[in-house]
Amino acid sequence: MARNKGIRTTVPPPPLDKDEKWSRPSTADSNRSGMSAMGLSKSTVPRRAPSAASNVSSSAPRIPETRPSTGMTASSRPLSFSTNKSSQRTIKYATGKYAGIELVPQPSDEPDDPLNWAQWRKEVNYASLMLCTAVVSVEKTIYLPVTGELATLYSVAYSSAAALTAVPLILSAFFSVFATVGARFVGRRPILLGSMAFIFIGSMWCIEVDRSFSENMAARVFQSIGWGAFDSLVLGSIYDTFFEHQRNVRVAAFTLLTLGTTWGPPVLGGLASGTGGSFTTQYAILAPFVVLASFALATGCPETAFDRSALPIITPSTATYKHPVPLAPHRFITSDMVREQMKMLRPYNYSRSGTIPALTLALQAPRALVAPTTLLLFLASFLPLSSLWGLSISMPLLFTPMPFMLTPANIGLIFVGPFLLAGIVAAATNLPVKSAPAFEARISPKKIVMYFAIGTAMAMSGTTALGTYIAGHVKMSSAASVPVIGEQSGSDVSLGLVSFLFALLAAGYVLVDSATKGPLVRHSIQFTSSNLNIGIRTTVDMESGVVFWRLLFAGIFVMAVPNSAWTFYGLRATCIGLGVGTLVMSSVVGALWWFVGDSIRSFDGRVMGLVDWAMLKRTGSFFDAD
């Protein structure tokens, strides 16, 4: 009998039905698909010499096949096992459109595992979270085109009006950390429900705050408490609900949605404020969407946090397990579907095992904030993004007074460029290519450096050109750094060109983010993650850490930039300084990643407490921990 030298072998296939088409997945394909998940390479996996006991002969007893009515959690493929004689954990494959693809991560045999949900439940959960994310993103930039109007209405300094955007951003950064830690104890659903309640109260309150600055600030603080949870928990929910072959396109859609609903609404918001007579018109229009998002979250988002650490690493296969939840696609909503969904919608429905100390697990997210790779990612992109936020809040300060006298609707048009160009770049770099891995997995280190350099050049040129162009085309008084009132001062400043320069800055940030975040996180978890579940958790923690630093410094720049760019001369100096700083910071980050990247990644595991050499001494196969 020929000996199979692969890591895993496969038992003979069961008899085929008359109309069933079947093809055997190769052992090599199985190994590649398992190790490719989350960037785990062969070098990460402990190698074991094959033994005679590890091979399954053609005369071996046939194992009953797991054959659900459809789908994504098990397959009609032959059951494959690890080489360890004492561990025969079933390797499950996808069926249908993705037939033959090994499911990554491997689902457990528990019906509460989100990977085992019926496909319709996964999609409802995803759509509900996307709606909530859109509402949060809209509220962050809702005051950008009307900040000048707010300062005039409340009779406050412009910096105070800018604080209505800055303070919520800063607070949401800290609440995002609290939400991540809290979700480790009680799950995501209670945190998200409580956060949505704060968003609902703050949004409805903002409809009636046109007479009081303090009430407006209080309402915005209520909203920021809710923003933090959606900034940090939604991505983890996507990772825990979908397999890798389903996940990439949905993560890309999440990225595009966040970007579009952040920089697109100021265009429509300025128009709505101008025609409605008040900035509160924006919240009146947004209110029905807040109500709809709250309802969708309450009825469509069960608990997605599932603790797989309770599953033993070496367990016998449960090949005869039958899923109690029907996985076939449904054309209509049935009473059984509604009853099953309602059972899963309790406010608290999370069971955490005791195999990992609660405090140790909870502290991994705060530790990820100061992991070297997290800080490197933040430094790579924080100046372009912070410059975009700071200069955006400064536009009404410059263009609302004379000689421009622009309305919120006109100022909103400046954001058309960032919305369009940044969206195109994000789609090109995030949407997966057919029959190809995700963007971060298909670009080499040289290409990463190339994209990083191009993005930096775009951001730097957009920033410096914006300040020098505006200042150079406004007639200035020789006695003061203010525009000359009268004649045609500033009439030759093209708002279309201003919008394009803003677009260069926004597109540069998106390209830098796409070229660095995915690849650097992927390379880091190759060093720090002993199995796939830890790799997924580490990825979410590090990306949430990057979000924390970006929100924090975006809020700081929203407060600081208007104080330095309140004149056109000040705007030019500020933009030149930001452009030069972007170049210098990017050069330092690029050099660190290129020359000492391995050392930086090795420190990630130490900082986050993930380096556990005992994992390499286990007798079971690495793949049994999927």
Side-chain angles (χ1 to χ4, degrees):
M1 176 181 67
R3 178 168 298 182
N4 189 335
K5 298 184 182 296
I7 294 180
R8 288 172 292 187
T9 55
T10 307
V11 301
L16 300 179
D17 297 334
K18 181 178 179 180
D19 298 326
E20 183 181 14
K21 295 181 179 180
W22 172 84
S23 62
R24 180 190 297 271
S26 67
T27 304
D29 290 340
S30 299
N31 295 339
R32 282 194 298 269
S33 63
M35 288 185 292
S36 65
M38 305 301 300
L40 296 173
S41 62
K42 289 186 178 181
S43 61
T44 317
V45 185
R47 301 299 301 271
R48 293 174 51 87
S51 62
S54 67
N55 299 309
V56 182
S57 66
S58 59
S59 60
R62 182 173 290 115
I63 304 298
E65 182 185 6
T66 303
R67 192 188 296 267
S69 55
T70 122
M72 296 320 230
T73 358
S75 103
S76 58
R77 296 293 179 187
L79 302 178
S80 140
F81 301 99
S82 70
T83 56
N84 191 343
K85 183 177 180 179
S86 63
S87 174
Q88 292 189 340
R89 188 175 178 83
T90 306
I91 303 300
K92 301 173 184 177
Y93 297 86
T95 59
K97 177 181 178 181
Y98 298 100
I101 296 179
E102 181 177 323
L103 296 179
V104 178
Q106 284 283 292
S108 68
D109 288 342
E110 298 294 331
D112 291 336
D113 188 345
L115 294 174
N116 290 331
W117 287 355
Q119 192 64 28
W120 66 267
R121 180 172 290 121
K122 292 184 179 184
E123 301 299 349
V124 169
N125 175 73
Y126 178 76
S128 300
L129 290 176
M130 292 303 97
L131 179 58
C132 296
T133 300
V135 169
V136 168
S137 300
V138 169
E139 290 187 341
K140 289 179 181 178
T141 55
I142 200 168
Y143 282 163
L144 289 188
V146 297
T147 307
E149 179 183 330
L150 291 173
T152 302
L153 177 66
Y154 294 133
S155 299
V156 296
Y158 192 87
S159 58
S160 299
L164 292 170
T165 298
V167 171
L169 287 176
I170 294 173
L171 292 178
S172 68
F174 290 100
F175 285 122
S176 69
V177 180
F178 296 152
T180 303
V181 174
R184 298 287 164 83
F185 291 97
V186 300
R188 296 190 185 102
R189 179 168 168 80
I191 303 294
L192 291 175
L193 288 175
S195 299
M196 199 65 207
F198 279 102
I199 292 175
F200 183 88
I201 294 172
S203 301
M204 299 303 146
W205 194 357
C206 273
I207 300 177
E208 300 293 336
V209 295
D210 54 350
R211 295 182 180 86
S212 173
F213 175 81
S214 58
E215 284 190 26
N216 198 340
M217 179 62 78
R220 294 285 284 176
V221 169
F222 263 80
Q223 294 169 31
S224 69
I225 296 175
W227 296 351
F230 290 95
D231 288 332
S232 61
L233 299 183
V234 171
L235 187 63
S237 180
I238 297 174
Y239 271 84
D240 282 344
T241 306
F242 294 98
F243 299 107
E244 187 183 52
H245 64 276
Q246 303 170 319
R247 182 196 311 145
N248 291 334
V249 67
R250 289 171 174 82
V251 172
F254 168 73
T255 303
L256 289 172
L257 178 74
T258 303
L259 183 67
T261 52
T262 299
W263 300 106
V267 180
L268 300 177
L271 180 62
S273 298
T275 57
S278 173
F279 68 92
T280 57
T281 304
Q282 297 184 78
Y283 274 104
I285 296 174
L286 186 63
F289 295 96
V290 175
V291 173
L292 181 60
S294 303
F295 176 79
L297 181 70
T299 60
C301 295
E303 180 59 68
T304 57
F306 182 78
D307 189 2
R308 294 187 179 85
S309 63
L311 302 177
I313 292 181
I314 301 176
T315 59
S317 168
T318 315
T320 58
Y321 173 78
K322 299 294 184 180
H323 290 282
V325 180
L327 298 178
H330 295 274
R331 294 181 180 275
F332 304 101
I333 298 177
T334 65
S335 58
D336 291 339
M337 293 168 59
V338 174
R339 283 194 296 269
E340 187 64 32
Q341 182 75 354
M342 294 304 296
K343 291 179 182 178
M344 303 178 68
L345 294 178
R346 290 178 295 177
Y348 180 77
N349 193 31
Y350 176 57
S351 299
R352 182 183 56 79
S353 75
T355 57
I356 298 180
L359 184 60
T360 301
L361 183 61
L363 288 178
Q364 287 181 358
R367 286 174 175 175
L369 295 178
V370 293
T373 294
T374 301
L375 296 177
L376 198 66
L377 287 169
F378 159 68
L379 293 175
S381 59
F382 97 96
L383 269 179
L385 178 62
S386 299
S387 300
L388 180 62
W389 275 97
L391 294 174
S392 296
I393 202 70
S394 300
M395 288 300 104
L397 171 65
L398 298 170
F399 290 112
T400 299
M402 293 187 293
F404 296 99
M405 299 292 290
L406 295 185
T407 64
N410 298 130
I411 295 174
L413 294 177
I414 297 175
F415 295 92
V416 172
F419 171 67
L420 293 178
L421 188 57
I424 292 173
V425 174
T429 55
N430 285 278
L431 289 177
V433 179
K434 187 177 182 181
S435 303
F439 178 76
E440 65 267 18
R442 66 176 187 262
I443 57 176
S444 63
K446 291 183 178 180
K447 288 185 178 179
I448 294 174
V449 172
M450 180 186 69
Y451 290 138
F452 181 53
I454 294 174
T456 299
M458 292 172 64
M460 182 190 67
S461 60
T463 305
T464 54
L466 180 67
T468 54
Y469 170 74
I470 295 178
H473 285 73
V474 176
K475 294 182 180 180
M476 307 298 294
S477 168
S478 59
S481 300
V482 295
V484 176
I485 300 175
E487 296 187 357
Q488 297 296 322
S489 301
S491 61
D492 56 344
V493 174
S494 170
L495 293 182
L497 183 55
V498 171
S499 180
F500 173 74
L501 296 176
F502 252 122
L504 279 182
L505 172 57
Y509 153 70
V510 171
L511 188 56
V512 167
D513 179 58
S514 300
T516 56
K517 186 171 66 175
L520 288 183
V521 171
R522 190 182 186 92
H523 292 159
S524 175
I525 64 172
Q526 292 179 4
F527 280 72
T528 60
S529 302
S530 55
N531 62 55
L532 182 59
N533 293 321
I534 293 177
I536 292 175
R537 187 173 67 233
T538 303
T539 299
V540 174
D541 286 345
M542 294 180 73
E543 295 199 8
S544 298
V546 175
V547 169
F548 165 81
W549 290 114
R550 287 176 176 173
L551 288 174
L552 177 63
F553 275 82
I556 293 174
F557 270 62
V558 166
M559 289 286 290
V561 171
N563 291 323
S564 62
W566 66 278
T567 66
F568 291 97
Y569 283 158
L571 174 68
R572 180 168 60 188
T574 300
C575 288
I576 292 175
L578 291 174
V580 173
T582 298
L583 178 62
V584 173
M585 185 66 69
S586 299
S587 300
V588 172
V589 170
L592 288 174
W593 180 78
W594 187 262
F595 293 107
V596 293
D598 288 349
S599 299
I600 291 174
R601 290 189 285 271
S602 66
F603 276 101
D604 288 338
R606 299 181 186 181
V607 172
M608 290 186 285
L610 295 174
V611 176
D612 183 10
W613 295 107
M615 187 67 189
L616 300 179
K617 300 178 182 180
R618 296 186 185 275
T619 57
S621 168
F622 166 82
F623 295 97
D624 294 332
D626 284 358

